Each structure stands twice: as structure tokens, then as C-alpha cells.
Amino acid sequence: MAKRVAVIGAGASGLTCIKSCLDEGLEPVCFESSDDIGGLWRFKENPEPDRASIYHSVIINTSKEMMTYSDFPIPAHFPNYMHNSLIMDYFNMYTDHFQLRQYIQFQTRVLQVKQRPDFSHSGQWEVETEARDGKRESLIFDAIMVCVGHHCHPRMPLSDFPGIDTFKGKYFHSRDYKAPEEWRGKRVVVVGIGNSGGDITVELSRMTKQLFLSTRRGAWVMNRVADNGLPVDLVLNRVSLLIQKILPRDFICGIVENRLNYRFDHAMYGLQPKHRFFNQHPTVNDDLPNRILSGTVQVKPNIKEFRSSSVVFEDGSVEHDIDLVVFATGYSFSFPFLPAHVLSVSENQTTLYKHIYPPGLEHPTLAVIGLIQPLGAIMPISEMQARWATRVFKGLNKLPSMSVMMKDIKCKEEAMANRYVTSSRHTIQVDYVPYMDELAEKVGVQPRFLSLLLRDPGLWLRTVFGPCTPYQYRLFGPGQWEGARQAIYTQWERVAQPMKTRPIPARETKRTFSTHLFFLSAATLVVAVIYKRDNYQEYLQYPMMILDKLKTYLPAW
């Protein structure tokens, strides 16, 4: 009989967990407390308790080619940065294409998940649920996938703001913000300069009389649009990431910070932080500098206290007649349905091997999926986590001993503490490509670059020098998708497609000899690095064959 797996939550992580279960021949049952899929990305005018909620205008900060599930490309005509309604459209397409909806029990809350008495032998769990009509049921499962995310409980540290109880205006958390029209002509303070704080600041400032953005530390602000109008997350490739590994971090920080200051001087705009670029999750916002430049947004330091309708800042300045304060101060997460000895959370910190597995279980039959804050898209990461977890459930992949897992956890905690400023926001950070590669190696689906170089040099060029799109992890190994190669070859066409709304005659361009020489030199460098790592000695008996194959994919000079 197929093993039964309980999937808790039908958001971005839950959906790919259902599919991964089906891919591995497991039997998923998904419990979703609301009446639809989508989780965080489903807009609702009235927020539901203990659930994330977005405002009407939210547009995602990662481009479609980087956030897509690896075997189901987002349609070419969709914009590169999608509105939340289009993300929901994509989730529905994915759900319908793989026929996932039949495995979801909507309006069903999970009350409790506990180990069965014979867990040491069976590894099974008992799940107690409650349906909309109040009917409770206990079911037995062979494995659990927890997909509730980390935007669970609004974090509003009012004790840090003396006098808030005397404030005569209105205040609420950013999850309760929906639209700006109500605040036309008002004076507003937004606390926090994360992505939500930046977006809400920009949107409100188009309506308000004056908006004040309060930030304790400042932030480095990135644009979604990179050079030549490309989505910024498509600019990085494996060569540039290799260079980042080789060069000192402070040197790389200096390069990035100079680029950001070239766009606008962060110090002059009151945004420059004390920390370096890679020490905090950056803020992605295209319009904030324009709003500051036009005076509709004024950047302020942290709030010292409230006095009736006035706000006093730490620099001594006072702003009077404030009508609204929006606390964009983040979220905390918890797992109230799980026993503390299985998984406990303190100050947004928990102990998970590779951010997935509780290390103390006798059987690895519980996986937490999507409990990460990536510098990149979460959907492909959740998918890769799910692919690994389902293979572990089946016994196809094994986890190391508890001591090895704890050593890895401690190492990552120390690395995170050394890199990031202390904040509840920086407890589950991962870098997109290194983390994806780390998991891919566990699953056995990491790209085999030397093999590609020999057998398919055109594809090799696109995977090494092109963006690290999720399709790369469907080229080899378990779950290999025959459409992955074509998806990589056509990814730039999908980037350009939504902008082809006005015909423009194509211009003929010619590459110079130096351009081709650069590509060949870089290719040689990458081959050397790959060889050193993989030690494929037999391949180096045919260097001229490799070079000849590569030349066929480069224009003649």
C-alpha cells in the first residue's frame, strides 16, 4: 500500500508537496483551513486569524522565470513581475494541470499532530482535524509535511513605543492595510523598511498629505530592473556566483553598494545603513527614491515615543497631527498543532536540519516545507525541499545521524549570526542558488556541467552563463523532465514576450573578437573549476574535441 502523507496547508509550498507525493507514488491528503488554495498570495479584504494577508496592489519581487515551478513554466504572456492575482492564476493552472485539487480538504483545520504510541516502530502520526461544521476526526498518516509558512502572526512590538496607549490616531499592522484611498490628505507614519514597508510607503504617499518613513537601521534599496531593462534576479549566473565565492565578501559588498549608490546616494536620501549589503535582507523597491526626491516621503529615525497625536523621533524631531501609524514590523511563526518536544519555536528560531527536518525524531517522517526567507524565490525552493522529503519518506534517501545533523545546524546558525544583523527577520535566511544546489545534491538532481559541456555545449552555455532558473534541476536524476532543455532554451523568449506589445524593427548587431575571446576564456576557467571538483580525468583526454564542440555554438569572427 502507498504511504499516506498529510500535507498541512495548500499555499505555494503545499501545492508542490501534493505533486511531489504523487510523483513518488505516495498518497497525499492536504488540509487547508480556508476555502481556496494560494495561502499568502490569495487576496482577501478581511484578514483571517493567524493567516498572512496582502494588500490589493502587491506585486512579487522575484521574476517569473526564477519563481516558476521547475516542470511547469509560467505562461510567456504573463509579466515578469506578477500582480498577486496573476500568481493566483498560475497556482490554479498548476493545480488543474496536475489534478491536485481532489487531494485537498478545504475549510479543515488541523488541531493536533502527535506521534502514535508505536512511533519508534512505525514512524506514524495521528492527525486530529476539525471541519467547517465542527466535526472532528482523527486520522493516521505515515508522514507529515508542514506547509504553513512563516507569515503567521503579525509582530507588533508596542512595548518598544512608549506612549502608544495615548495616541489619538489610528494604528495597525501592515497585514491589515488594503488600499490607500481612505488616507487621502492625511499625515501618516510607516514603521519599518522591509519590502512591505517600502511598498506601502510608496503607495500611501500618492494619497497622503505627508508620509514619514521610520527606520531604525536604514536599508540598501534594490531596483527590480537591472541593466538593459532585465529583471535583476536574471543577471546573476553561476560564473558570477563563483567569483563571489572566490573574492572577499567585503570587496563584493563594496561593488554592490557602489552600484546601488550610483542609482541614488543612500546617505543623501537618509537610507544608508551601518551594515554592509550582505548583512541584511535588502529592500526591493523601484519607486521609493522618486517619492523621497519629490518630498512626499520623508525618512525618519526610530520612534522614541508617542504624545497624543504627535510622534517624537530619536533625533529629537517631532511630527504633529499624525492620523495613522502602520507597523510594517514583520511576522512571527509557530506550530501550535505540534508538541514542543517535536518542534519548538523561540524568538522566531527553531532547530531544523537543512531547514526541513527536526533532528531528534527516531524516524524522519516529518518535514517542514517553506520555512525559509530566501534571497530569491521561495516556490522552487519549496519544490526542491518537497522532492527530497518525499524520497526520504519512501526510504530512497537517508538522513545522516543526529550528531551530524546537529553539527550542520550549529554551523549554519553560526554562519547566519556572523553574517546578518541581529533581528527576528534573519533566523531562516538562505541564499537561493547555494541552498538549491545543496538540496539538489541530496536528491541527486544537481546539474552535471561537465557532462553537458561534452554532450550538449549549447545547453551548457545557457546553464553556466545564463540565469540559474529552476529548470536546471530537471535535467538529470529523479523527476527528470523532458521539457527542461527546451524551457531553458526559450527562457529569454518568455522574458521578452509580455513586452512585445509594439512592433520594433530588429537591429543587426555584431559581436567583437574580444567578446568571443572573453566567453572562451571564461568557459576554460569554469571547465577547470568543474574538473578540480569532479575529477573527470577521462574527459580531459579530449580537450580539442570539447573546444571544437563549443566553437560551433559561437558566431565566427
Side-chain angles (χ1 to χ4, degrees):
M1 291 180 60
K3 290 186 176 182
R4 300 184 74 220
V5 180
V7 179
I8 305 175
S13 299
L15 294 176
T16 193
C17 282
I18 300 171
K19 179 184 176 294
S20 295
C21 285
L22 296 173
D23 288 346
E24 292 295 342
L26 304 175
E27 182 185 331
V29 179
C30 179
F31 302 107
E32 169 56 44
S33 61
S34 71
D35 59 359
D36 200 0
I37 64 170
L40 169 68
W41 292 103
R42 182 167 54 88
F43 173 79
K44 295 200 78 170
E45 194 69 43
N46 299 309
E48 299 172 347
D50 298 327
R51 291 181 64 89
S53 182
I54 58 174
Y55 38 99
H56 185 269
S57 61
V58 167
I59 292 174
I60 198 165
N61 288 327
T62 51
S63 69
K64 66 179 182 180
E65 289 301 304
M66 294 301 294
M67 65 161 278
T68 184
Y69 294 120
S70 60
D71 57 355
F72 192 72
I74 293 174
H77 67 278
F78 276 33
N80 285 282
Y81 291 105
M82 299 189 292
H83 184 262
N84 60 84
S85 61
L86 289 175
I87 296 174
M88 281 300 300
D89 287 347
Y90 174 64
F91 286 161
N92 278 297
M93 292 175 190
Y94 182 81
T95 301
D96 294 340
H97 179 79
F98 294 109
Q99 301 179 347
L100 308 181
R101 209 175 302 268
Q102 61 186 303
Y103 300 97
I104 305 173
Q105 296 184 17
F106 292 105
Q107 296 183 308
T108 303
R109 289 195 309 132
V110 173
L111 302 178
Q112 187 179 37
V113 176
K114 62 182 181 180
Q115 295 158 300
R116 294 197 73 199
D118 64 345
F119 182 83
S120 61
H121 171 70
S122 67
Q124 290 182 324
W125 301 81
E126 184 177 342
V127 178
E128 184 181 359
T129 63
E130 182 180 56
R132 182 183 183 184
D133 58 7
K135 180 183 177 182
R136 294 192 176 190
E137 187 176 15
S138 289
L139 301 166
I140 305 302
F141 289 93
D142 297 293
I144 307 291
M145 304 182 85
V146 180
C147 310
V148 297
H150 53 88
H151 295 92
C152 303
H153 316 294
R155 184 178 176 274
M156 198 155 64
L158 298 182
S159 60
D160 294 345
F161 300 97
I164 186 67
D165 54 326
T166 70
F167 182 56
K168 292 184 177 180
K170 187 174 182 180
Y171 65 87
F172 52 70
H173 192 270
S174 57
R175 81 185 289 270
D176 296 312
Y177 171 80
K178 296 301 170 186
E181 287 78 15
E182 179 183 353
W183 305 102
R184 183 183 295 275
K186 305 295 184 181
R187 289 167 60 82
V188 175
V189 175
V190 174
V191 181
I193 196 172
N195 289 326
S196 294
D199 286 348
I200 291 171
T201 291
V202 166
E203 184 169 271
L204 276 172
S205 69
R206 295 189 173 98
M207 293 284 177
T208 57
K209 181 178 181 180
Q210 184 62 58
L211 192 139
F212 304 96
L213 174 59
S214 171
T215 171
R216 284 182 301 171
R217 284 190 290 262
W220 294 105
V221 180
M222 294 180 62
N223 200 345
R224 287 184 178 93
V225 185
D227 293 345
N228 300 311
L230 296 176
V232 68
D233 54 1
L234 293 182
V235 173
L236 287 177
N237 56 43
R238 292 188 178 274
V239 173
S240 59
L241 290 170
L242 177 63
I243 293 172
Q244 284 186 28
K245 272 187 175 181
I246 295 172
L247 297 177
R249 186 176 293 276
D250 282 348
F251 179 77
I252 298 296
C253 282
I255 293 175
V256 176
E257 290 162 12
N258 286 337
R259 289 282 295 175
L260 296 179
N261 280 324
Y262 183 78
R263 179 184 171 222
F264 73 91
D265 189 323
H266 281 60
M268 184 170 71
Y269 279 62
L271 293 171
Q272 182 165 313
K274 292 181 181 179
H275 59 263
R276 306 305 302 272
F277 177 81
F278 287 112
N279 297 143
Q280 184 180 19
H281 199 99
T283 296
V284 180
N285 197 293
D286 302 282
D287 300 322
L288 183 57
N290 298 333
R291 306 312 296 172
I292 296 172
L293 194 62
S294 65
T296 57
V297 171
Q298 292 184 20
V299 182
K300 290 285 189 177
N302 196 33
I303 293 174
K304 180 181 180 181
E305 62 177 325
F306 289 86
R307 296 177 186 167
S308 185
S309 60
S310 300
V311 177
V312 182
F313 297 94
E314 288 184 345
D315 63 350
S317 61
V318 182
E319 296 298 337
H320 302 285
D321 302 321
I322 300 299
D323 300 289
L324 170 67
V325 178
V326 180
F327 287 95
T329 44
Y331 292 82
S332 60
F333 59 85
S334 67
F335 307 98
F337 47 83
L338 283 172
H341 72 273
V342 173
L343 188 62
S344 62
V345 180
S346 176
E347 298 295 322
N348 263 20
Q349 295 187 58
T350 190
T351 302
L352 292 170
Y353 176 60
K354 305 297 184 187
H355 300 281
I356 303 172
Y357 302 102
L361 296 177
E362 295 171 272
H363 296 276
T365 54
L366 186 142
V368 180
I369 306 298
L371 189 65
I372 40 161
Q373 181 74 46
L375 291 173
I378 194 171
M379 289 78 162
I381 291 181
S382 293
E383 180 186 44
M384 186 66 74
Q385 289 179 327
R387 292 172 70 184
W388 184 23
T390 50
R391 291 181 63 77
V392 169
F393 295 160
K394 282 191 70 176
L396 299 174
N397 293 125
K398 304 292 184 182
L399 297 187
S401 66
M402 182 177 174
S403 61
V404 171
M405 288 193 281
M406 290 304 300
K407 184 178 179 180
D408 182 83
I409 291 168
K410 185 178 180 181
C411 180
K412 282 181 167 51
E413 287 176 347
E414 290 175 352
M416 203 174 299
N418 291 333
R419 172 174 170 180
Y420 291 103
V421 296
T422 303
S423 169
S424 60
R425 187 185 186 193
H426 297 136
T427 58
I428 49 175
Q429 290 288 135
V430 297
D431 291 321
Y432 176 80
V433 175
Y435 184 64
M436 286 284 281
D437 283 348
E438 188 177 5
L439 297 188
E441 185 175 355
K442 300 293 184 183
V443 184
V445 296
Q446 65 272 39
R448 302 169 191 168
F449 295 108
L450 199 51
S451 175
L452 285 177
L453 175 60
L454 287 173
R455 300 169 185 170
D456 197 338
L459 183 58
W460 178 85
L461 282 171
R462 286 162 174 81
T463 55
V464 173
F465 294 97
C468 303
T469 45
Y471 319 118
Q472 293 188 11
Y473 302 100
R474 291 285 181 178
L475 292 170
F476 300 98
Q480 182 177 352
W481 175 46
E482 62 181 11
R485 183 181 188 275
Q486 181 65 15
I488 293 171
Y489 262 77
T490 55
Q491 58 196 5
W492 289 113
E493 295 174 18
R494 288 189 297 279
V495 170
Q497 180 63 37
M499 295 178 283
K500 291 183 176 180
T501 55
R502 173 175 171 257
I504 303 292
R507 291 185 299 176
E508 184 177 345
T509 58
K510 292 185 178 180
R511 291 185 177 179
T512 64
F513 171 80
S514 59
T515 302
H516 300 304
L517 186 61
F518 167 78
F519 275 111
L520 282 175
S521 301
T524 304
L525 172 64
V526 173
V527 171
V529 171
I530 294 174
Y531 165 67
K532 186 176 180 181
R533 186 186 68 188
D534 295 338
N535 199 26
Y536 287 129
Q537 297 182 12
E538 65 272 20
Y539 290 143
L540 295 187
Q541 297 174 8
Y542 309 103
M544 294 309 298
M545 179 189 72
I546 296 173
L547 187 59
D548 289 342
K549 281 193 174 186
L550 185 62
K551 284 181 178 179
T552 63
Y553 289 88
L554 294 173
W557 51 69

